[in-house]
Each structure stands twice: as C-alpha cells, then as structure tokens.
C-alpha cells in the first residue's frame, strides 16, 4: 500500500510533472517574474471558470480577505459577523482592520455558519457577513444573501476551501461558490483544492467599481503610476505560481470529482454506524468540494482513536480544536458560552481523515477498517 498522507502533493505532481515543469521553465526564460503574462492569463482563465466578471490575483488567501474588506470601505468599529468554527484567518483580518468581529455559532450538520445565529446578532453597526464554506461545503447562501439584503449588509465569501463547488438556488439557478456574495476570497496554498507551489490567493467580484478599487489596493493604492490615491498593500501572485495554476485549473473539476468519490467510499463504509456521523452533502453532489473529509465521533474516545490511527500509520487531524471565541486573541466579554453550543461540541467530536486526489481503494479500505475495528471493541 502507498504511504498514507493527509494530502499527497507528490503523487499529484508526478502526474503533471512534464506540463507543469515546462510552464515554470517558460516563466524562468521570459523573466516576467511579477505581473507577467501568466498572471493575466490565469486571471482570465479563472474568471471564465467561475463565471465571475473580475478576478484580482493576490499573494495569499488571508490578504484576499483583508483586501476585500478594505475595498468595501469598512470603518473601525463596524461589526462584521463570521463563524466561530473556522480557520483563524477569517477573524484575524477583521481584527487587524480594527473592525469588530462578531462570532456566531454553526450548524451541526454542515459545520457552516447558522443563519439564525447571524440574525440574532445584527445591530445598526453591522456592516458585513463573512460566511466560510467550511471543508468545501457551500454555506446557506440563498438565506444569507436574503438576510443581507434585508439589512443592507455586504456578504464576503471566504472561499478558501470550496473552489469549484456550486450552489443551487431554490429556483434552480446554479452559481459557483465565490460568485454569489458581493465579493469573495480564495487561497491557492498548496494543500487547497486548487493549490500552487507556494503562496497565492485571489479576490472575486461582479462589481466593476469595486474591482477597480481592489486592483489599486493590491498595488500600493496606485491607479496611476506613483499616484497613491488610497492606502494600499503590496500583494501579488507571482508568475511562477500563476503558471502552476494555469496548468492545474483545467484539472480542478477532475480533482474535485476524485475527492468526492473518495468521500462517498468513506461514507459508504461508515453508513449506519451509531458512533460515527459522516459529512452531509447539502444539495447536489457538486455543492461539496471536500477540502476535508470530517467525521463526528460520538460516544467514543476520539483522542484514543486518533492515537490508534497514528500508530497504524494513518494520519488524521482535528480541524479545528479550539473555537475562535475561546482563543486568547479573539476572546471577548460580550460572548456567552450558551451562544456557541454547537461549536463547543464540534471541537470535541470532529476528526478529519486523509483527503486528496490520489487516494486509492486499498488505502480507503485500510483506513475505514481500522476505524471500524477500533470502535467495535
Ligand atoms: C487557508 C484558509 C485561509 C487563508 O489562506 P492563506 O492562503 O493560507 O492565507 C483563509 N480562510 C480559510 C477558511 C482557509 O482555509
């Protein structure tokens, strides 16, 4: 059996080695290392793939979130609502911009932000909602957009984990995750569904005026060379990363299908088990990009199970072990434990298994057999 890994970047690379190496070599030869033709090509390719009017490449997914918020002219003290159960980058940029983070609970079936919880914390100071499509499952965007419209709020999708996933509205319209809110961010960190070989990120929007602003902000607030109209940042996707992404973008749907197929095999093996909750696909199969395959382990010692898996050479991880409202940096007297019942429970139950494009049946069977055997004794 091939060695088990949470993410098999080498196995994936080996299959595209010749094309990807040639695309990198081309950048080395033409020396347009920053803002070269590969970056512009990637921008166009991604706009077409996502069906959004504007893609603004930048240096990483955290910058993408920050720049999106800067572009919306959010002011210190404005309240921004996001999920308590997510990677810290989401709340970090809110705090960095001196906006006021308002963390809310999530849904136990999807791990995504609870629309009811959002509704309960909206105040006259609320300016934006940041849904995170956690683990690859698109959040309840139809209800979130309706709520945002009702209260005149911006919606910033954190799409770092769900690139390629789709969302189907009640009337049958389908949109790609990241093309639904007013603006969205993503990350091309190597382990993400569309990963480059270093850091990378992008912002998406269908709003022409906002896109114009964002393109200036990523480049020191310049709209005309050496004229700095707004305070900006330096956040660029380099040409080598863009070349890698141009090679991998045409494979994204195939990659996401391989993840979905692995997820279905895991879930079939665990079906009906009293101590295991398998991840829900809310909507059609393409609504979940399976960035992570995350179980909930009930009535069993999750930490002992983790140790057993590690002893057997099966990597696994807890995403995420601590709710954001309990992190030193983001704790606040305004929070009440009763408002985070689901997140507080999820952090005790979740267990993410290896999930990537190269998992084979033998590996999946070994992983599921090992877990089922442990839980049966
Ligand atoms: C990875 C990730 C980010 C940050 O992306 P970087 O490129 O690592 O800065 C932000 N939000 C979520 C939900 C992520 O998973």
């Amino acid at each position: 059996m091939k060695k088990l890994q949470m993410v098999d970047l080498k196995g994936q690379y080996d299959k595209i080695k010749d094309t990807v190496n040639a695309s990198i070599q081309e950048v080395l030869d033409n020396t347009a290392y920053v803002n070269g033709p590969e970056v512009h090509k990637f921008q166009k390719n991604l706009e077409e793939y996502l069906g959004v009017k504007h893609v603004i490449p930048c240096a990483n997914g955290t910058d993408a979130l920050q720049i999106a918020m800067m572009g919306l002219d959010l002011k210190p003290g404005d309240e921004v609502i996001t999920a308590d159960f997510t990677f810290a980058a989401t709340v970090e940029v809110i705090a960095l911009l001196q906006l006021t983070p308002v963390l809310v609970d999530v849904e136990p079936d999807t791990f995504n932000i609870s629309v009811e919880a959002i509704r309960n914390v909206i105040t006259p100071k609320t300016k934006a909602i940041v849904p995170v499509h956690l683990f690859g499952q698109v959040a309840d965007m139809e209800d979130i957009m309706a709520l945002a419209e009702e209260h005149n709020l911006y919606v910033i999708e954190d799409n770092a984990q769900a690139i390629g996933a789709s969302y189907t509205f009640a009337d049958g319209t389908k949109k790609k995750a990241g093309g639904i809110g007013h603006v969205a961010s993503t990350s091309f960190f190597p382990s993400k569904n569309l990963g480059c070989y270093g850091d990378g990120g992008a912002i998406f929007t269908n709003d022409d005026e906002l896109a114009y602003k964002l393109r200036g902000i990523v480049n020191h607030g310049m709209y005309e060379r050496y004229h700095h109209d707004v305070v900006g940042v330096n956040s660029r996707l380099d040409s080598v990363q863009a070349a890698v992404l141009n090679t991998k973008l045409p494979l994204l749907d195939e990659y996401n299908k391989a993840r979905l197929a692995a997820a279905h095999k895991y879930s079939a093996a665990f079906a009906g088990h009293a101590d295991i909750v398998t991840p829900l696909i809310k909507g059609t199969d393409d609504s979940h990009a399976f960035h992570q395959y995350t179980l909930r382990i009930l009535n069993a010692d999750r930490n002992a199970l983790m140790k057993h898996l590690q002893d057997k050479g099966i990597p696994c991880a807890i995403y995420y072990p601590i709710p954001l409202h309990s992190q030193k940096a983001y704790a606040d007297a305004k929070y009440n434990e009763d408002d985070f019942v689901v997140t507080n429970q999820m952090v005790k139950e979740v267990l993410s298994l290896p999930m990537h494009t190269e998992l084979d049946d033998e590996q999946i069977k070994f992983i599921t057999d090992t877990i089922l055997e442990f839980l049966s004794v």
Side-chain angles (χ1 to χ4, degrees):
M1 190 175 65
K2 283 188 297 180
K3 184 177 182 300
L4 287 162
Q5 300 174 77
M6 278 309 271
V7 181
D8 184 359
L9 294 177
K10 181 69 164 73
Q12 192 188 64
Y13 169 64
D14 282 343
K15 291 182 181 163
I16 56 170
K17 195 169 188 162
D18 293 343
T19 9
V20 87
N21 286 8
S23 73
I24 293 171
Q25 187 62 55
E26 205 181 304
V27 175
L28 299 181
D29 288 334
N30 73 25
T31 74
Y33 303 136
V34 168
N35 262 332
E38 284 294 333
V39 178
H40 298 283
K41 198 164 106 189
F42 176 62
Q43 177 192 321
K44 294 285 166 227
N45 288 344
L46 191 58
E47 285 167 355
E48 192 178 326
Y49 174 82
L50 292 169
V52 297
K53 276 176 90 177
H54 305 282
V55 164
I56 298 101
C58 66
N60 58 67
T62 310
D63 275 7
L65 270 169
Q66 178 182 329
I67 294 158
M69 288 178 203
M70 290 169 79
L72 294 173
D73 280 333
L74 301 181
K75 298 277 181 288
D78 286 350
E79 293 177 0
V80 179
I81 301 170
T82 194
D84 189 35
F85 189 56
T86 173
F87 181 57
T90 326
V91 67
E92 179 177 65
V93 300
I94 298 172
L96 262 179
L97 293 174
Q98 294 183 292
L99 311 173
T100 304
V102 179
L103 297 167
V104 298
D105 212 356
V106 296
E107 298 286 354
D109 56 351
T110 59
F111 307 112
N112 274 331
I113 196 163
S114 153
V115 181
E116 265 325 293
I118 298 173
R119 189 185 290 282
N120 289 337
V121 296
I122 292 175
T123 74
K125 284 186 174 169
T126 308
K127 289 286 150 42
I129 305 168
V130 188
V132 182
H133 305 314
L134 203 72
F135 304 148
Q137 169 76 70
V138 188
D140 282 331
M141 289 307 291
E142 183 149 16
D143 292 348
I144 291 170
M145 294 310 291
L147 187 60
E149 192 170 348
E150 193 184 315
H151 294 274
N152 202 18
L153 308 175
Y154 291 118
V155 174
I156 305 161
E157 294 175 80
D158 181 344
N159 196 29
Q161 301 192 1
I163 195 156
S166 295
Y167 182 85
T168 309
F169 289 80
D171 69 1
T173 339
K174 210 175 228 209
K175 283 187 186 172
K176 284 253 161 63
I180 307 166
H182 300 94
V183 59
S185 62
T186 201
S187 163
F188 306 119
F189 185 76
S191 64
K192 301 282 156 113
N193 290 38
L194 178 61
C196 57
Y197 298 163
D199 276 307
I203 312 150
F204 324 137
T205 185
N206 287 310
D207 180 330
D208 298 339
E209 206 176 310
L210 177 59
Y212 175 81
K213 252 167 132 174
L214 295 169
R215 285 188 209 289
I217 293 172
V218 297
N219 188 26
H220 301 291
M222 275 197 289
Y223 297 88
E224 197 185 322
R225 201 157 177 74
Y226 301 123
H227 293 249
H228 304 275
D229 295 354
V230 295
V231 177
V233 295
N234 169 22
S235 187
R236 298 185 277 239
L237 179 72
D238 70 69
S239 304
V240 168
Q241 302 311 332
V244 172
L245 291 165
N246 279 325
T247 308
K248 291 181 75 177
L249 180 60
L251 302 168
L252 178 59
D253 285 346
E254 193 184 303
Y255 286 162
N256 282 344
K257 275 193 192 125
R259 290 172 176 273
L260 178 69
H264 278 313
K265 286 173 196 163
Y266 275 137
S267 292
F270 298 132
H273 198 288
D275 296 332
I276 302 176
V277 182
T278 57
L280 174 77
I281 300 177
K282 197 168 180 180
T284 49
D285 262 4
D286 59 2
S287 73
H288 205 317
F290 280 101
H291 176 59
Q292 298 295 345
Y293 182 85
T294 303
L295 298 173
R296 290 171 55 198
I297 304 296
L298 317 175
N299 322 310
D301 185 342
R302 178 190 60 175
N303 294 345
L305 170 60
M306 273 190 87
K307 176 154 190 331
H308 181 71
L309 293 176
Q310 280 154 358
D311 289 346
K312 296 268 180 186
I314 301 173
C316 54
I318 298 175
Y319 302 121
Y320 295 92
I322 304 168
L324 290 178
H325 81 271
S326 308
Q327 298 281 2
K328 264 192 211 158
Y330 306 112
D332 193 300
K334 74 184 172 204
Y335 295 130
N336 183 338
E337 288 307 318
D338 296 344
D339 295 329
F340 301 103
V341 173
V342 179
T343 302
N344 285 340
Q345 180 155 351
M346 294 304 114
V347 297
K348 291 186 205 133
E349 295 177 351
V350 287
L351 182 66
S352 297
L353 301 182
M355 175 48 76
H356 52 78
T357 57
E358 312 303 312
L359 276 171
D360 65 31
D361 288 356
E362 189 189 12
Q363 292 176 311
I364 292 172
K365 184 165 187 325
F366 179 68
I367 296 167
T368 56
D369 283 353
T370 307
I371 293 173
L372 291 169
E373 199 184 275
F374 178 88
L375 293 178
S376 70
V377 291

